[in-house]
Amino acid sequence: MKPSEGGFAAVSVAAWPVINCYVTMESRKEEREYSGIGASPGIAHGPVSILREKEIAIPKYQVEIEHHHAEVARFENALLSTRKQIQKIRDQVEGSLGEEEARIFDAHLMVLEDQALIDEIVREMQAAEENVEASLWRVGTRYIEAFGQIDDEYLRERASDIRDVMRRLISNLTGESLDDGERPDNKHVVVAQEIAPSDSASIDKDHVLALVTDLGGKTGHTVIVARSMNIPAVVGLGNISQSVVPGDIVLVDGYEGKVVVNPSEDTLFRYGKLKDERASIEERLFAFSKKVSETQDGHPIQLQANIESAEESVKAVEIGADGVGLFRTEYLFLNTRSLPTEDEQFEAYRGAAEAMGGRPVVIRTLDLGGDKMSLSPELGMQHEFNPFLGYRAIRYCLDNIDIFTTQLRAILRASVHGNVRIMYPMISGFEELKQANECLEIAKEQLRSEEIAFDESIETGSMIEIPSAAIACDTLVSECSFFSIGSNDLIQYLMAVDRLNDRVAHLYEPTHPAVIRMLDMVVKNAREGNVEVSICGEMAGDPILVPLLIGLGIESLSMSPSLLPHAKFVVQSMELSEARDLAKMALSETDGIKILENLTAFYNSRMESIS
Ligand code: PEP
Ligand code: MG
């Protein structure tokens, strides 16, 4: 919402709470069902507590140019106070939830230290000859809107970091409190448009049964906090916060992303049963994660983890991962105030290598650009009309050799601490792969001359995520020892379907015959060229698709760690010949939907034994 041209503009900011409702159901209300994104698993129901946005006013008035130094001083004081408050919340969260959750607030501190943003606010204030609150809100809104439009889900959600910081700054400037201090004291389901990080940090585990929000995606703060507290959450529900009223009872199904307002006795009974069933399935699936990953007839399948930080590799080991199939290193570059140094990167890579204790760790070089824009001005990312077809990943690295070499040196240094492999993203063909390897040779040469140890026989791999690389993958085998299929991008480029665009989402079809033929072709060429082949896109973690991938000959699948137990169960419940039959069916069938139906039927038949 933008401030009006004069006087005061009402701006909504989230604040606790607000309308507390207790179970006072005098008359039966009509049941309504909503669908969103299941963000944190579990089923819960209880009275609603609506977290309404508190409106605060943004003053707007003229400030003569000679008084601007006083405005700048006010701004600096507000920056300082806000910093202190956020640091305090960070410390509290670290104490109650742990370091990982507390790191959410580092992004807030980064916003406060973002010199480009601060300078823009001061410039705007001087140009418009107005007070700091007005300029601050206008510039902040521009940033929020820009972030809100980025295709990458993770970055889109950073808009809420900026918003949260902006509202604190405004509050510190105007003296208007953001918190009216009330807290519901019964057990309840929180329903809100969006839950700001500093609000989610103050959620009381003992009272909150579930979280439900209008906005947000799978990597939002609501989700991070809900998962770490083990409470169900459903996000992206449109405008549910406007539809519930005090007195409503809300049932939340975090598995399926469903919310039922005022559930009938029948619905409550049905979900009660479902809850028990789910809990026992999960318990049983978890038991499989400790077992060896092989088919019923003893054929080993590598089930590996996709991670974004060294810490996640510890969790991956706990859940029984056979290695790390994809370390998305770009998150090291997104979460810092400046470029990570070689030593900082080395520590992260070494951490993962050591945690995996000899199991393979595939470190993917920087896949920045395109949808993954960076907050670091040093990276020089610019707006592009077709970011997915633009300056990203290996294209960026081959054009920014210093950044690339620093990363390669850090990975090489970490290679003596475990079983490290290097993988290049977005390779389009032989020349690019060759150039990337030439850079690697230069980095190796530098380390040799500095007498720094590294694994001389470190293996390199190419992601196969651009159709040109898939079609000509036979030309790549001489330059690498493994392929990893990036099905997320491969499908998007093959089918010409933006993987993040809801309106064409129905065309994003992993079981489309063209996708299956392309996977088959890559596997055959990899075999012929004697290179290993694995898959690390979302397809790999979909338990319905796991048998198909194995049947096609992909024997190493890398996925989000939480999906591993389910995938392992599916692997253990089938024979290799069954997977091969499914692959044959998929390669001969013309209809992608039919293929999916057949795969689903097979999956359901295996799940019968556990449900
Ligand atoms: C992919 O494209 O499948 C992949 C794993 O890479 P990312 O999702 O990081 O683009
Ligand atoms: Mg990709």
Side-chain angles (χ1 to χ4, degrees):
M1 203 186 299
K2 286 193 174 137
S4 63
E5 284 312 301
F8 285 78
V11 172
S12 296
V13 285
W16 273 105
V18 199
I19 305 172
N20 305 334
C21 319
Y22 303 90
V23 205
T24 51
M25 304 228 339
E26 293 103 28
S27 58
R28 166 60 57 204
K29 296 183 180 175
E30 201 189 323
E31 174 176 303
R32 302 191 306 277
E33 189 175 307
Y34 297 80
S35 287
I37 301 167
S40 178
I43 292 173
H45 80 278
V48 68
S49 169
I50 309 161
L51 179 64
R52 287 252 187 266
E53 293 211 316
K54 183 183 174 191
E55 297 212 325
I56 61 161
I58 309 279
K60 179 175 163 71
Y61 48 86
Q62 288 282 300
V63 176
E64 316 266 286
I65 200 80
E66 60 267 32
H67 295 126
H68 266 144
H69 60 279
E71 278 306 283
V72 173
R74 262 191 350 109
F75 184 30
E76 281 170 355
N77 280 338
L79 285 168
L80 268 176
S81 322
T82 308
R83 192 175 164 71
K84 275 192 204 146
Q85 288 165 357
I86 294 176
Q87 189 61 50
K88 198 168 153 208
I89 298 172
R90 192 196 188 287
D91 293 345
Q92 281 166 355
V93 173
E94 190 180 349
S96 59
L97 291 175
E99 170 62 22
E100 199 173 328
E101 284 69 30
R103 247 185 264 133
I104 292 170
F105 297 96
D106 289 344
H108 290 210
L109 295 169
M110 274 166 61
V111 174
L112 284 171
E113 285 176 8
D114 187 332
Q115 204 49 49
L117 176 65
I118 294 171
D119 289 348
E120 198 174 331
I121 293 166
V122 171
R123 269 200 312 274
E124 182 108 1
M125 191 170 85
Q126 284 167 349
E129 296 197 13
E130 65 185 6
N131 60 315
V132 62
E133 292 91 334
S135 304
L136 168 72
W137 192 255
R138 200 165 46 247
V139 173
T141 305
R142 277 207 298 269
Y143 272 68
I144 292 163
E145 282 170 358
F147 269 79
Q149 278 163 16
I150 293 176
D151 283 336
D152 181 77
E153 196 183 348
Y154 175 84
L155 286 177
R156 204 167 45 241
E157 280 157 8
R158 301 291 74 78
S160 66
D161 295 329
I162 303 176
R163 191 168 187 277
D164 209 20
V165 171
M166 290 298 149
R167 85 177 192 176
R168 276 192 184 279
L169 278 169
I170 298 274
S171 155
N172 281 319
L173 283 161
T174 60
E176 188 179 343
S177 170
L178 295 172
D179 188 348
D180 51 17
E182 291 174 41
R183 297 284 186 277
D185 55 10
N186 60 328
K187 291 205 175 199
H188 55 271
V189 173
V190 172
V191 177
Q193 187 191 31
E194 191 174 24
I195 298 175
S198 42
D199 292 324
S200 56
S202 65
I203 284 171
D204 175 0
K205 275 192 246 190
D206 297 332
H207 287 94
V208 177
L209 295 164
L211 301 176
V212 168
T213 61
D214 295 347
L215 306 175
K218 283 198 168 180
T219 58
H221 297 111
T222 315
V223 179
I224 295 169
V225 173
R227 282 204 194 124
S228 70
M229 288 180 175
N230 269 335
I231 53 177
V234 178
V235 300
L237 282 150
N239 66 349
I240 193 167
S241 69
Q242 301 299 318
S243 320
V244 287
V245 292
D248 281 343
I249 298 291
V250 179
L251 184 148
V252 183
D253 176 0
Y255 297 107
E256 299 291 333
K258 294 258 185 286
V259 171
V260 185
V261 178
N262 299 321
S264 65
E265 291 300 326
D266 277 358
T267 305
L268 282 175
F269 179 72
R270 196 158 41 84
Y271 272 96
K273 269 181 69 182
L274 201 64
K275 186 176 172 177
D276 294 346
E277 280 164 22
R278 285 286 195 168
S280 92
I281 290 175
E282 248 163 46
E283 215 172 282
R284 274 177 277 165
L285 283 177
F286 190 75
F288 282 92
S289 64
K290 296 285 161 208
K291 297 191 181 163
V292 189
S293 172
E294 58 181 25
T295 58
Q296 247 171 24
D297 48 338
H299 196 83
I301 302 294
Q302 294 281 306
L303 294 181
Q304 301 184 325
N306 291 352
I307 61 167
E308 271 119 40
S309 67
E311 291 79 37
E312 276 183 273
S313 55
V314 178
K315 281 190 190 160
V317 173
E318 278 166 16
I319 210 141
D322 297 316
V324 167
L326 172 64
F327 186 158
R328 286 186 165 102
T329 59
E330 45 278 12
Y331 288 88
L332 295 172
F333 290 70
L334 294 172
N335 283 331
T336 53
R337 287 160 230 192
S338 54
L339 285 182
T341 63
E342 181 181 315
D343 281 349
E344 282 164 353
Q345 291 188 59
F346 163 69
E347 288 304 336
Y349 308 148
R350 184 181 70 153
E354 285 181 348
M356 294 316 290
R359 298 176 191 87
V361 176
V362 177
I363 303 180
R364 180 173 77 179
T365 60
L366 194 53
D367 183 9
L368 264 192
D371 56 326
K372 294 171 192 154
M373 300 290 275
S374 173
L375 293 173
S376 309
E378 288 90 340
L379 286 162
M381 288 290 168
Q382 285 174 10
H383 172 77
E384 295 180 339
F385 285 111
N386 279 311
F388 276 123
L389 305 181
Y391 191 59
R392 72 176 274 205
I394 202 69
R395 303 164 183 189
Y396 174 87
C397 286
L398 292 176
D399 203 30
N400 290 274
I401 296 293
D402 288 351
I403 293 174
F404 192 34
T405 309
T406 303
Q407 180 171 41
L408 291 171
R409 285 174 55 106
I411 302 174
L412 285 169
R413 284 172 55 197
S415 66
V416 291
H417 296 275
N419 181 359
V420 171
R421 296 166 145 204
I422 296 180
M423 177 161 76
Y424 307 116
M426 291 285 291
I427 292 290
S428 64
F430 177 78
E431 272 311 311
E432 252 168 8
L433 183 56
K434 194 161 147 275
Q435 277 179 48
N437 278 334
E438 280 163 8
C439 292
L440 181 64
E441 283 314 313
I442 292 169
K444 284 183 179 174
E445 206 39 64
Q446 287 178 359
L447 293 180
R448 279 186 204 111
S449 65
E450 292 165 36
E451 296 186 0
I452 297 175
F454 66 91
D455 175 4
E456 286 281 355
S457 56
I458 191 165
E459 293 183 357
T460 55
S462 169
M463 283 205 68
I464 304 292
E465 53 184 344
I466 299 184
S468 59
I471 291 167
C473 65
D474 58 311
T475 64
L476 304 180
V477 297
S478 61
E479 282 288 323
C480 64
S481 52
F482 66 95
F483 291 158
S484 185
I485 300 170
S487 54
N488 304 340
D489 278 318
L490 187 61
I491 298 173
Q492 119 164 307
Y493 296 130
L494 184 62
M495 310 283 301
V497 177
D498 179 341
R499 74 195 229 196
L500 302 168
N501 184 339
D502 305 351
R503 300 173 76 183
V504 289
H506 60 287
L507 298 171
Y508 190 94
E509 217 186 331
T511 54
H512 189 286
V515 174
I516 292 167
R517 279 166 173 68
M518 187 157 267
L519 296 182
D520 183 53
M521 198 182 81
V522 173
V523 174
K524 285 185 175 139
N525 278 308
R527 264 205 204 124
E528 219 155 276
N530 211 18
V531 304
E532 288 173 31
V533 62
S534 59
I535 180 163
C536 62
E538 293 307 306
M539 266 183 104
D542 184 335
I544 295 176
L545 303 179
V546 165
L548 167 71
L549 299 172
I550 294 172
L552 286 169
I554 305 172
E555 293 175 351
S556 174
L557 285 70
S558 193
M559 64 200 74
S560 157
S562 61
L563 304 173
L564 278 162
H566 206 144
K568 202 175 262 189
F569 166 76
V570 173
V571 169
Q572 288 165 350
S573 69
M574 66 179 197
E575 298 209 350
L576 188 60
S577 58
E578 291 176 305
R580 287 186 176 148
D581 287 347
L582 287 169
K584 252 190 225 150
M585 172 280 296
L587 283 165
S588 58
E589 184 56 71
T590 50
D591 178 356
I593 294 176
K594 189 87 207 317
I595 297 173
L596 184 60
E597 278 169 9
N598 290 339
L599 294 173
T600 308
F602 178 79
Y603 165 78
N604 287 339
S605 73
R606 302 304 122 145
M607 288 304 283
E608 268 167 22
S609 69
I610 201 163
S611 18

